[in-house]
Amino acid sequence: MSSNDGKSTDVKHSIAGFYFQLLIACKELVSIYENFPKGYVGVEYGADIRVNKGNNRYIEAKFYKRDYFTRYSEAIRHTLYNFYHTYRKSGKLGESFIINTNVPITKTDIEFFNRWNNSTFPSPNDYINYIKDCLVYEYLDKEPYKKSYIKFKEDYQKDNPNIKKPKFKSNLIKHLHINPSDYALYIPSEILLKDNEIFDFIKQVSFDFPDKRIEKYDSIIQLNEDIENNLKELFPEFNSQQYSNIRYIIMNAFLDTTASSITHVIYANELESIVKNHEKALIELIESDSLVKTMKEIEVELLKYEKKLLNKGFSNQLEHILKVLGSCTEQWIQEIRLHGEKNVNKRFIMSAEHSYPLNILDLFKAMGEISSASEYGLGEVNLNDLEGINNIAFSGYREFALRTTPSSSDREDEETLITSFIEHSLREQDYHNAIGDETIIFENACNICRYDKKNIEENIVIDIARPYGTLIQQGLFQSFEYKCTSCLKLLNQDGDCTFANSFKKGK
């Protein structure tokens, strides 16, 4: 039993989890339409997905990179922790809690979970203690339970002085199984249910896992097929493309509910209206900046990118790159949901009326690739609430301002690229937030690192400032360091590039 088993198995491939979640919600809605017209489905409603057919059913979908999960995988523990609190607050018998995964359970734990799914519990205390274990893991780093854990570690080291790398968490769990009264030292008394109540909760939990690992792409294809087959039975008058469009509209409707302060669910009896009006809704969706449209576009690109990394021989760096890329895109999508695609994307995109999400994704790819080559951990990646005009930071390293443009003319000429950057800053009033000396990283095809910044004063700023009614101090734009992503990418990394080497050394 290892408390570290889950750390690298829950790598989020950007929006894969959320996209997958919308597909499952879509499938659930069309599944309950006929028999439960007053039922409803909600996304992020107490769990990843909530289905109501009289009693609530909570579904949480987990994507894994490894070939299996264990009972102590972090994502499983955390999901059970969330489900426990949902049950504790509602206290309703008849509710169900389902954990859906794309990988099977490890052989050592399969009997444990199979018995759980079959509701055969030869030793109920094993399962009751397991739920308590999940709670303990969540509270170990929180006061006052942290003090109890520190004392346990000190006592354990005194009793086992010869163990060089003690596994404190797993040994704490063993200790608690032998001394169950000590659970009270690690779990708040107000949230710890009685054993018989925990057992009632356990009987309402089940696991939906395959016999062998299912690839992300295959999972999405299968869900799409299931949704189409259900729609064909309910509404047989359409063709395959129309069913795909209907699915697209349903997913977008779910997305709207996650941003709404009024409507949090879609009722089954709304499906007929969605289907009837799907052609008009699709036109409106295509003409607007639809987040579902963006997510679908990014998803396809990420599948290609992952395959490219494997084909180019970068399998060892793959997990690290996708973790950074995933964190970037998760934060990016969340910001879009809160503030709108145009407002968020203009932090990254210059010289464009449209969003061009794949250009922004290329910036994040470069960050993931150079981070994977670092000799020292650069820390967690963050896109929000940074100094000046910076829009990305590594917690253990530095902050930067990423910029890209769909214009090949801009990317291929230093003067034009700098001009585009300054025009964008003036137009969007970005420069008001600048503190000076930020490092601007461009996605480009020119030698921006060698650009003579004297040209900014002599040729650019004065000419372009007047249309915006502001003459910005040339010194601000001259203070920035202008760099590019060229040498940060795995295929192009230059051992002589000072900027790339600064990432690798973490300095």
Side-chain angles (χ1 to χ4, degrees), residues 310-460:
L310 290 171
N311 289 341
K312 295 293 183 180
F314 297 120
S315 56
N316 290 338
Q317 294 99 314
L318 181 65
E319 186 171 311
H320 182 107
I321 294 169
L322 292 177
K323 185 174 183 180
V324 172
L325 183 55
S327 182
C328 285
T329 48
E330 286 280 342
Q331 293 177 62
W332 176 33
I333 293 296
Q334 180 61 21
E335 282 294 287
I336 289 174
R337 291 169 66 189
L338 293 173
H339 305 295
E341 192 159 9
K342 187 174 182 180
N343 288 331
V344 173
N345 287 359
K346 68 184 180 183
R347 301 177 195 171
F348 302 91
I349 287 277
M350 310 178 301
S351 305
E353 291 298 322
H354 302 289
S355 295
Y356 293 97
L358 298 190
N359 291 73
I360 298 174
L361 195 65
D362 284 340
L363 290 170
F364 298 152
K365 289 177 189 176
M367 293 295 99
E369 291 182 23
I370 191 60
S371 175
S372 74
S374 177
E375 297 171 13
Y376 303 91
L378 300 182
E380 297 297 319
V381 66
N382 179 35
L383 303 188
N384 303 310
D385 301 321
L386 305 177
E387 281 193 332
I389 57 173
N390 292 321
N391 54 22
I392 190 167
F394 291 94
S395 60
Y397 185 41
R398 292 173 53 193
E399 299 182 7
F400 301 97
L402 301 179
R403 294 289 188 274
T404 186
T405 171
S407 168
S408 59
S409 297
D410 285 358
R411 291 197 305 269
E412 293 170 1
D413 179 76
E414 296 86 355
E415 191 92 355
T416 311
L417 185 62
I418 292 291
T419 301
S420 179
F421 169 68
I422 296 175
E423 284 181 336
H424 180 82
S425 299
L426 291 169
R427 183 171 58 251
E428 301 299 335
Q429 302 289 292
D430 279 355
Y431 66 91
H432 286 311
N433 299 319
I435 57 177
D437 298 322
E438 286 100 324
T439 298
I440 318 299
I441 304 178
F442 294 109
E443 174 79 15
N444 70 306
C446 60
N447 295 319
I448 195 67
C449 298
R450 300 172 190 166
Y451 179 72
D452 187 351
K453 292 193 287 185
K454 289 181 181 179
N455 293 328
I456 291 175
E457 179 177 358
E458 295 171 0
N459 301 332
I460 300 178

Side-chain angles (χ1 to χ4, degrees), residues 485-501:
T485 61
S486 297
C487 296
L488 306 184
K489 298 176 181 179
L490 287 173
L491 289 173
N492 303 324
Q493 282 180 15
D494 182 354
D496 295 327
C497 176
T498 304
F499 186 54
N501 287 334

Side-chain angles (χ1 to χ4, degrees), residues 28 34 59 96 99 123 129-130 152 161 179 217 243 267 282 326 359 372 381 391 462-463 475 483 489 507:
E28 292 293 330
E34 226 172 7
I59 303 171
S96 59
I99 298 177
S123 179
N129 285 341
Y130 172 62
F152 171 81
N179 305 278
Y217 187 67
Y243 290 124
Y267 286 85
L282 184 67
N359 291 73
S372 74
V381 66
N391 54 22
I462 292 176
D463 288 339
K483 303 295 181 182
K489 298 176 181 179
K507 297 179 181 178

